[in-house]
Amino acid sequence: MPKRKKTLTEKKREAVLKKKERELESLCKRCGVCCHIKVGLADGSYVVHPSQTCKYLTDGNCCSVYERRFSCDAKICFTREEMITKDYLLPEGCPYTQIRLGYKSARVVSQDEFDAIIVRELELGNYNILLANRVF
Ligand code: SF4
Ligand code: SF4
């Protein structure tokens, strides 16, 4: 069956959507912090593990399985829309956290701060933290 030609309105809508997508994409700083493991704290918030990342994150903060990232076995990859919708999937400082009012970001900490957090969490009885629990 011959392919139906797109109407002018459809073409315009597509162009607008593409422009929006490009604008959104350009907000990403390519820092790779959203590809770090997030760890759940006793108070319900999350902290970004300073060094433990998805195994597919390269030294240059690129994804080595980008084309199949949503079906790879890392299972911590989310679409931008999902990350904006769900609190704590994005780290503080990520421009996408500004899109939804009241977004709660995962806290970014140094290794020393993270070590202190582990001690405090253990005192609170949050033993899950020892697993560097993969909550997302
Ligand atoms: S944390 Fe935000 S800015 Fe950094 S790579 Fe992830 S989406 Fe992009
Ligand atoms: S698979 Fe997902 S979480 Fe892992 S490096 Fe690639 S984009 Fe990041």
Side-chain angles (χ1 to χ4, degrees):
M1 205 197 310
K3 220 174 160 188
R4 183 179 68 85
K5 277 193 176 170
K6 287 177 188 163
T7 63
L8 191 60
T9 313
E10 285 171 334
K11 282 182 187 168
K12 275 188 187 164
R13 191 181 303 133
E14 266 183 21
V16 170
L17 284 175
K18 271 188 189 160
K19 186 168 175 271
K20 267 197 166 171
E21 174 56 32
R22 274 199 306 274
E23 283 169 2
L24 269 176
E25 191 58 39
S26 70
L27 293 178
C28 179
K29 301 184 286 182
R30 309 278 188 268
C31 63
V33 184
C34 57
C35 301
H36 283 233
I37 305 299
K38 286 111 186 160
V39 177
L41 306 187
D43 65 1
S45 68
Y46 289 84
V47 68
V48 176
H49 196 293
S51 55
Q52 198 174 335
T53 69
C54 170
K55 62 181 175 180
Y56 294 121
L57 188 70
T58 68
D59 290 344
N61 288 333
C62 289
C63 175
S64 58
V65 293
Y66 190 77
E67 296 304 327
R68 57 181 184 88
R69 62 195 185 285
F70 299 124
S71 58
C72 75
D73 62 348
K75 307 266 186 256
I76 59 165
C77 208
F78 293 85
T79 65
R80 186 173 54 224
E81 287 66 32
E82 287 169 330
M83 292 200 285
I84 291 168
T85 308
K86 193 160 193 275
D87 286 336
Y88 299 118
L89 284 178
L90 289 166
E92 57 190 357
C94 171
Y96 295 125
T97 62
Q98 304 297 313
I99 290 177
R100 178 164 64 80
L101 200 67
Y103 188 88
K104 292 180 190 154
S105 320
R107 197 145 57 93
V108 177
V109 294
S110 67
Q111 187 64 57
D112 283 351
E113 288 169 316
F114 186 74
D115 293 344
I117 286 171
I118 289 190
V119 172
R120 201 176 61 234
E121 290 294 309
L122 289 176
E123 284 167 1
L124 291 170
N126 178 14
Y127 301 113
N128 281 340
I129 197 144
L130 291 176
L131 308 171
N133 55 328
R134 261 179 184 216
V135 283
F136 301 126

